[in-house]
């Protein structure tokens, strides 16, 4: 699964849904990341958190971040 993210809210929605698909609660994921549930909730609700937390969360879910220009035509192969 992959997605386009255009805002912190989009990113939070994607991470929340991915976490749920993997059967993890916020408390379980927060513990895996070594952050508070408040921080995790903030991220999933599109609030500002450190990029280190975002990167760690994305990696823990088994994804990676790829940044491309908005005008790029991109094909994703898994």
């Amino acid at each position: 699964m992959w997605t386009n993210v255009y805002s912190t809210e989009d990113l939070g929605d994607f991470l929340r849904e991915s976490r749920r698909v993997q059967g993890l609660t916020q408390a379980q994921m927060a513990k895996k990341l070594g952050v508070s549930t408040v921080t995790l909730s903030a991220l999933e609700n599109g609030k500002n958190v450190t990029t280190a937390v975002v990167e760690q969360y994305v990696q823990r879910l088994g994804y990676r971040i790829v940044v491309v220009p908005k005008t790029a035509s991109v094909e994703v192969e898994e």
Side-chain angles (χ1 to χ4, degrees):
M1 177 169 74
W2 69 281
T3 190
N4 289 314
V5 172
Y6 298 101
S7 66
T8 55
E9 290 83 9
D10 289 348
L11 178 60
D13 290 343
F14 176 76
L15 294 175
R16 179 185 315 104
E17 183 59 26
S18 297
R19 173 183 54 75
R20 289 177 176 166
V21 166
Q22 292 187 21
L24 296 167
T25 65
Q26 277 191 337
Q28 290 168 323
M29 181 56 80
K31 185 175 181 178
K32 287 177 180 286
L33 298 176
V35 300
S36 70
T37 55
V38 172
T39 297
L40 192 76
S41 179
L43 173 56
E44 290 184 353
N45 285 295
K47 307 298 183 213
N48 289 332
V49 298
T50 67
T51 55
V53 172
V54 173
E55 181 183 11
Q56 188 178 12
Y57 194 166
V58 168
Q59 288 180 2
R60 181 64 73 162
L61 289 171
Y63 297 106
R64 62 183 162 161
I65 297 173
V66 177
V67 179
V68 296
K70 288 182 180 182
T71 58
S73 177
V74 178
E75 285 189 37
V76 175
E77 293 184 29
E78 295 185 45

